[in-house]
Amino acid sequence: MNTPDIIDLSSDEETEALCVKDIKPHLLSVIGRETTSEKNDVPQGSCGIKQEKLISEELLHTSSAHNDCSLPFPRQFWRSGEYETGKDLGPSSLNSQNRLSIHPKFLHSNATSHKWAFGAIAELLDNAIDEVKTGATSVIVDKFTDPRNGTPALLIQDDGGGMDPESLRRCMSFGFSDKLSDSSIGQYGNGFKTSTMRLGADVLVFSRCVSKGRVTQSIGLLSYTFLRKTGCDDIIVPVIDYEFNSSTGKFERLHRHGQKHFSANLSTILKWSMFTVEDDLLNQFNDIGPRGSKIIIFNLWFNDDGNMELDFETDPEDILISGSHKIVKTNDSTKNLKQKHVANRLRYSFRVYSSVLYLHMPINFKIVLRGRVVDPHSVVSDLKYVECIKYKPQVDGITESEVVTFIGFLEDAPNIDVHGFSVYHKNRLILPFWKVANNSYGKGRGVVGVLEANFIKPTHDKQDFEKSNLYQKLETRLKEMTYEYWDYHCHLVGYTKSKAPVSTSNTASRSSQMSHLKSPINATKLKIKSAAASQSLRSTEEPSGTAAQFHADEVFSDSSWSASALPEKRRYQGHSGTTVQLKKPAIMAKFADSNGRNSVMQAHEQQMLTVMAENKSLLAECRKYEETEKQLVLKAQQLKNELEKVQKAYKNLLDEFKLMDVVKEE
């Protein structure tokens, strides 16, 4: 089969009439196509989508009803891309533009970057989180019932800034992103396509936006079913737009390229989506509000057992992975604790996964899963004997970043076989409970850490990190950190020390072996209640060889792993072999002189008291700012309500004015 002609109708000088004889035979069902972004909107080398320009009479008059059994591919995601294309999928030039023609099979192969359905949903949540800067306050994740056949679909809706017609086309194109990598979670410009196509065969996007004095709403359809069923050899995405007319008070069709073009796209959307009439489509904007976006993913994929991959039925307030959430009843208490722990439950419960997905939930933002708000969960609050350790990774003598790691034993230790580090990147969870120390003899069991590593890059599916040199250094350091923590704390939870603690004499040799660390590691021991663990902590540098002890709800720090000597606190615990937290009288006796107190100890205590006072002052200042923010948010809401009242009054006056004109004419 010869390569078909690709007709570029993106310019303003497009021809309204097309001759059927100029089109290749297999394109008779789709008489023309249009690139979705104008030439200036699409960067060179990017892969734009195509839109239908005109549709044949046969396509327009075919019944719009179609059901799951007519899908032209298996319902299992991993099998749905197995088909012959029948043509060369190499790049082609479109009217001298530097673009690529993309075969529909790419939709499937591109989506295989997501191995896990929850990872795909999280990608869409990231887009909503990025909309916080435009005023988003919530994202809704829920079940949506397909009105054609009653099957479940997935709904994701936010109240962010929405997308204007150009932005929607960019969103549904390939390789384009207008997000800044230093301020947004998403940066590759591919997340929407990979995530939606990983979850289902088809997706409808509704978006309303206020931009440059225009109020627009747009609808786009990305349908693997449509492309496969019609035998398209290029990705066609029908999009329709509406613009608000202030004089009529209604949204009216926006004919960007003529009425025929709009009608053809609308007919395609009505035929291949779950809505059969235009009014049903427009009704989906009723709950969006003045701006925002709604995504409906339908024809969801099945698993290998023939069941829908996403389970909406078992728990009415959650979305589960089908077949993976069965808790095995056993008399082994260790296995029971592990099954119930968040480290296991996040693998199959989206409520649990989304509760730990972000290290800090943005202020005044919430995730609403199936009608109930997701309560954010801090893994640090599950820990005891918490330490806060500062790590400065270096490459070629240059410090890349400063990472603060919270590390401790789980509350249920030693009766729980869970360990590892939850690693975040730009506030987003990438690796949950990463098992850097996996010893058959159990060293490190129950030790859990939390850190944010912004100096290494995540993979495209945001479920792992790129295996760079910095990644390897981090893995090595976290492994060492686990063993260090274990050696000094394991006896507190009932384990027997596998070896004697490191003495002062061999500390220098151990430090010399850690050649990848160009500067000492500063360790800050947190003896605070779990509820206070999430508060901001201020680490301080201390002279080597000194120690101080305060009350159980206060903070103290010591220098750690320098080449000169082991910290006094840890040397004492090595000699005693019974407790990490020595009583204050014991420390004072060690440093007491004939006058009762050592001057160095007094100076150190004074330094710590000063730091504590500063912390209290900063905390009080933060509370003032929080209170001010609440007042500003309330004031903004009041102004918003007043604006709505004024707009309503203006509309009433405008209606009265029009009525008066009519009366005059009569």
Side-chain angles (χ1 to χ4, degrees), residues 81-139:
E82 299 173 359
Y83 68 97
E84 296 296 329
T85 61
K87 62 168 287 186
D88 182 14
L89 297 183
S92 62
S93 175
L94 301 183
N95 294 344
S96 302
Q97 298 182 58
N98 188 16
R99 289 188 182 159
L100 299 177
S101 176
I102 310 175
H103 194 277
K105 189 171 184 179
F106 178 71
L107 282 177
H108 179 270
S109 59
N110 186 48
T112 57
S113 62
H114 284 290
K115 305 298 187 294
W116 188 38
F118 284 176
I121 302 178
E123 188 86 50
L124 299 173
L125 289 192
D126 292 341
N127 291 339
I129 290 288
D130 286 338
E131 287 296 305
V132 168
K133 59 181 177 290
T134 66
T137 61
S138 67
V139 58

Side-chain angles (χ1 to χ4, degrees), residues 80-285:
S80 61
E82 299 173 359
Y83 68 97
E84 296 296 329
T85 61
K87 62 168 287 186
D88 182 14
L89 297 183
S92 62
S93 175
L94 301 183
N95 294 344
S96 302
Q97 298 182 58
N98 188 16
R99 289 188 182 159
L100 299 177
S101 176
I102 310 175
H103 194 277
K105 189 171 184 179
F106 178 71
L107 282 177
H108 179 270
S109 59
N110 186 48
T112 57
S113 62
H114 284 290
K115 305 298 187 294
W116 188 38
F118 284 176
I121 302 178
E123 188 86 50
L124 299 173
L125 289 192
D126 292 341
N127 291 339
I129 290 288
D130 286 338
E131 287 296 305
V132 168
K133 59 181 177 290
T134 66
T137 61
S138 67
V139 58
I140 298 170
V141 183
D142 209 341
K143 172 187 174 183
F144 186 92
T145 301
D146 190 331
R148 301 168 304 167
N149 48 33
T151 58
L154 179 65
L155 166 71
I156 297 178
Q157 178 177 335
D158 67 70
D159 59 351
M163 294 177 282
D164 60 19
E166 289 74 22
S167 298
L168 180 61
R169 284 159 175 78
R170 291 170 182 169
C171 171
M172 304 183 86
S173 298
F174 287 90
F176 185 93
S177 176
D178 55 5
K179 294 181 179 180
L180 301 176
S181 60
D182 59 349
S183 63
S184 303
I185 300 173
Q187 56 182 295
Y188 297 111
N190 199 32
F192 171 80
K193 280 77 65 175
T194 59
S195 56
T196 54
M197 292 295 98
R198 171 61 184 86
L199 295 166
D202 311 288
V203 56
L204 262 175
V205 182
F206 302 85
S207 192
R208 179 178 287 166
C209 178
V210 180
S211 177
K212 299 178 181 179
R214 299 173 62 203
V215 182
T216 59
Q217 59 187 33
S218 303
I219 305 171
L221 173 68
L222 182 59
S223 174
Y224 192 55
T225 305
F226 158 64
L227 297 171
R228 286 289 307 275
K229 193 85 170 182
T230 56
C232 293
D233 54 27
D234 205 358
I235 296 177
I236 301 171
V237 181
V239 181
I240 54 177
D241 308 294
Y242 300 81
E243 185 172 4
F244 184 76
N245 188 330
S246 57
S247 61
T248 63
K250 296 180 180 180
F251 280 93
E252 298 178 353
R253 292 181 175 184
L254 181 59
H255 297 147
R256 290 165 54 91
H257 301 288
Q259 183 176 353
K260 290 182 179 180
H261 174 218
F262 185 98
S263 298
N265 285 341
L266 176 60
S267 297
T268 305
I269 292 175
L270 294 178
K271 175 178 174 59
W272 296 99
S273 75
M274 57 182 65
F275 303 104
T276 58
V277 294
E278 185 178 11
D279 286 344
D280 290 341
L281 277 174
L282 296 178
N283 286 340
Q284 293 305 310
F285 288 98

Side-chain angles (χ1 to χ4, degrees), residues 304-548:
D304 292 338
D305 296 329
N307 300 316
M308 191 167 291
E309 191 173 17
L310 298 179
D311 177 6
F312 297 92
E313 306 304 324
T314 302
D315 188 340
E317 294 185 341
D318 200 356
I319 300 176
L320 307 176
I321 298 292
S322 295
S324 63
H325 55 275
K326 296 179 180 178
I327 296 179
V328 180
K329 295 182 179 180
T330 174
N331 294 327
D332 189 335
S333 60
T334 300
K335 289 184 178 179
N336 290 335
L337 286 173
K338 184 176 182 179
Q339 288 185 114
K340 296 177 181 179
H341 193 267
V342 62
N344 180 60
R345 292 168 57 214
L346 66 82
R347 306 292 178 181
Y348 61 82
S349 167
F350 190 72
R351 180 168 294 278
V352 175
Y353 178 57
S354 58
S355 72
V356 297
L357 185 58
Y358 302 103
L359 186 59
H360 305 291
M361 186 66 69
I363 299 175
N364 299 324
F365 187 87
K366 58 187 177 182
I367 300 173
V368 182
L369 176 59
R370 306 204 65 183
R372 186 164 71 87
V373 176
V374 173
D375 296 323
H377 179 77
S378 173
V379 176
V380 178
S381 66
D382 296 335
L383 306 181
K384 57 186 177 182
Y385 309 115
V386 182
E387 280 193 352
C388 182
I389 302 176
K390 190 184 296 182
Y391 166 50
K392 297 180 179 180
Q394 295 186 355
V395 175
D396 298 328
I398 301 175
T399 301
E400 293 290 331
S401 181
E402 181 176 279
V403 182
V404 177
T405 302
F406 293 88
I407 186 171
F409 271 110
L410 289 172
E411 285 290 349
D412 293 318
N415 299 318
I416 185 169
D417 187 14
V418 172
H419 61 277
F421 290 82
S422 291
V423 187
Y424 291 77
H425 178 268
K426 292 183 180 179
N427 197 45
R428 161 73 140 79
L429 179 62
I430 304 298
L431 284 177
F433 298 93
W434 178 23
K435 297 181 180 179
V436 295
N438 194 9
N439 292 320
S440 58
Y441 53 88
K443 186 174 183 179
R445 172 173 164 157
V447 178
V448 168
V450 179
L451 67 149
E452 185 176 26
N454 295 334
F455 61 94
I456 51 179
K457 292 185 178 180
T459 55
H460 282 241
D461 65 346
K462 298 190 183 78
Q463 298 299 309
D464 203 349
F465 288 102
E466 295 179 0
K467 302 304 186 288
S468 62
N469 186 32
L470 280 172
Y471 173 88
Q472 301 296 339
K473 288 178 179 292
L474 176 63
E475 183 177 18
T476 300
R477 178 56 192 139
L478 293 180
K479 185 175 182 179
E480 292 173 347
M481 197 183 296
T482 301
Y483 294 156
E484 291 167 4
Y485 181 87
W486 174 274
D487 286 339
Y488 290 102
H489 299 79
C490 64
H491 63 283
L492 294 176
V493 294
Y495 289 109
T496 302
K497 289 187 178 181
S498 58
K499 62 179 181 179
V502 182
S503 63
T504 307
S505 60
N506 62 16
T507 301
S509 61
R510 177 175 181 178
S511 298
S512 64
Q513 294 173 0
M514 298 164 62
S515 58
H516 64 285
L517 297 178
K518 308 299 183 185
S519 61
I521 304 300
N522 302 316
T524 302
K525 180 68 180 289
L526 304 180
K527 298 188 304 174
I528 56 178
K529 298 180 181 179
S530 60
S534 60
Q535 295 181 358
S536 301
L537 300 174
R538 182 170 177 173
S539 176
T540 60
E541 299 285 345
E542 299 181 16
S544 178
T546 63

